[in-house]
Amino acid sequence: MPLWALVALVAAAAQTARNAAQVSLTATIGTVGATQVRFLFGLPFAILFLGLVMVATGETLPTLTARNLIYTTLGAMAQIGATALMLITMKSQSFSVTTAWLKTEPVIVALAAAAVLRDPLSWSALAAIAVATAGVLVMSVKPAKHPRDWLTPGPALTGLAAATLFGLSAIGFRGGVTGLETGGTLIRSTTTLVLSLTIQTGTLLVWMTLFDRKALAASLTHWRRSLGAGFLGAFASQFWFLGFALTSAANIRTLALAEVIFAQLVARVHFGQKLPLRQGLGMALIVLGVGLLLQSQP
């Protein structure tokens, strides 16, 4: 298995654990409060990771470049915007419909990365991405009583916009990592992670101070649980960014669909929930798509 594939799988597993940790926080401090926890409480751990990398490798911080700053800022702001649009879509649509729109991201990433970053994209890789994405759609989409809901202009546009922004965030982060001209893969990816979290933390602190002080105060009150979610978020992001340094954003975001499988396994083993035939078929398609993607790589 290629190193980038192993890195992406570790990131997906860590992100699944982070999502589980944030469930109770969402109920306690609200969606916005729980969302900013991954940035505010993740930043100190990212800085710690950077320090450990510098000690282990003996390298100094790479010199920031205009390309790194521009792409990292793009990725950071796109990720915040995507999260906001996702929440807006969920207010008017079911979770399954929202998920279906969001999981078009790998296809969007593949096409946009090929155009913007000149990441290589073969027809076989694109087909593999399409198969894996179809698997997520099969798992997420239940037969609708009112098919017209899928075509409601507002939710459709916000859902696709959220997927596009999530895709842009992946492209921005890869562009940020590759925009650093000095240093090894590990220190370049970790430096970009710290920069991204700094931008996101500063932006959300200003926003919440002005518009949602209650949620900000609540996240600080429940700092123990927030630290746990922050650590898992930073740990997952460390591997996402390392993956972006190793291969194209399309490869990483496609393999990230394994997170859906991990979530189903957690639901089956930990909560004793049965796996419906439709979801089993979707998981099989995801595994097939990932396998085809790995085979398509040189």
Side-chain angles (χ1 to χ4, degrees):
M1 177 182 292
L3 178 59
W4 66 264
L6 180 61
V7 165
L9 288 175
V10 172
Q15 185 157 302
T16 302
R18 187 209 70 200
N19 290 342
Q22 282 186 298
V23 170
S24 60
L25 280 174
T26 301
T28 304
I29 64 179
T31 303
V32 176
T35 298
Q36 63 87 30
V37 160
R38 63 177 293 190
F39 305 122
L40 177 61
F41 289 88
L43 178 58
F45 291 108
I47 295 174
L48 175 62
F49 296 160
L50 180 58
L52 292 175
V53 169
M54 292 174 66
V55 171
T57 63
E59 294 183 280
T60 58
L61 287 175
T63 302
L64 300 182
T65 65
R67 175 185 170 89
N68 169 263
L69 291 171
I70 291 172
Y71 272 104
T72 303
T73 301
L74 168 67
M77 301 309 293
Q79 191 175 54
I80 293 175
T83 302
L85 287 174
M86 178 185 69
L87 296 176
I88 291 173
T89 307
M90 284 184 174
K91 286 183 179 179
S92 60
Q93 294 292 293
S94 68
F95 179 79
S96 61
V97 171
T98 302
T99 300
W101 287 122
L102 293 178
K103 293 311 179 182
T104 60
E105 179 200 348
V107 177
I108 295 172
V109 170
L111 297 176
V116 177
L117 298 179
R118 297 292 187 265
D119 280 344
L121 179 64
S122 65
W123 285 108
S124 58
L126 185 59
I129 292 168
V131 170
T133 302
V136 177
L137 297 182
V138 169
M139 290 184 68
S140 304
V141 180
K142 297 180 179 179
K145 294 181 179 179
H146 304 289
R148 65 178 180 275
D149 291 343
W150 287 85
L151 300 177
T152 304
L157 289 176
T158 55
L160 284 175
T164 301
L165 285 179
F166 274 126
L168 285 177
S169 71
I171 293 170
F173 294 145
R174 172 161 167 77
V177 173
T178 58
L180 292 176
E181 299 173 352
T182 59
T185 300
L186 189 56
I187 197 165
R188 286 188 292 113
S189 59
T190 310
T191 298
T192 305
L193 169 61
V194 170
L195 176 60
S196 170
L197 285 176
T198 300
I199 294 170
Q200 292 169 321
T201 298
T203 301
L204 286 173
L205 279 178
V206 171
W207 172 269
M208 296 184 75
T209 298
L210 293 176
F211 302 107
D212 202 347
R213 295 182 184 178
K214 184 178 180 181
L216 178 59
S219 68
L220 296 175
T221 300
H222 298 276
W223 63 269
R224 288 184 179 85
R225 284 188 292 167
S226 297
L227 271 178
F231 168 76
L232 288 170
F235 184 79
S237 295
Q238 174 69 69
F239 280 87
W240 288 133
F241 278 66
L242 180 57
F244 291 140
L246 294 172
T247 188
S248 70
N251 287 345
I252 296 300
R253 296 313 296 163
T254 300
L255 207 57
L257 297 179
E259 179 189 345
V260 179
I261 298 178
F262 293 152
Q264 289 296 324
L265 293 176
V266 169
R268 179 71 179 89
V269 174
H270 186 66
F271 298 106
Q273 298 174 356
K274 295 182 178 179
L275 182 68
L277 178 61
R278 174 176 54 82
Q279 293 187 344
L281 175 60
M283 289 174 65
L285 285 173
I286 293 175
V287 172
L288 174 61
V290 169
L292 291 174
L293 179 66
L294 293 176
Q295 278 193 334
S296 71
Q297 302 305 304

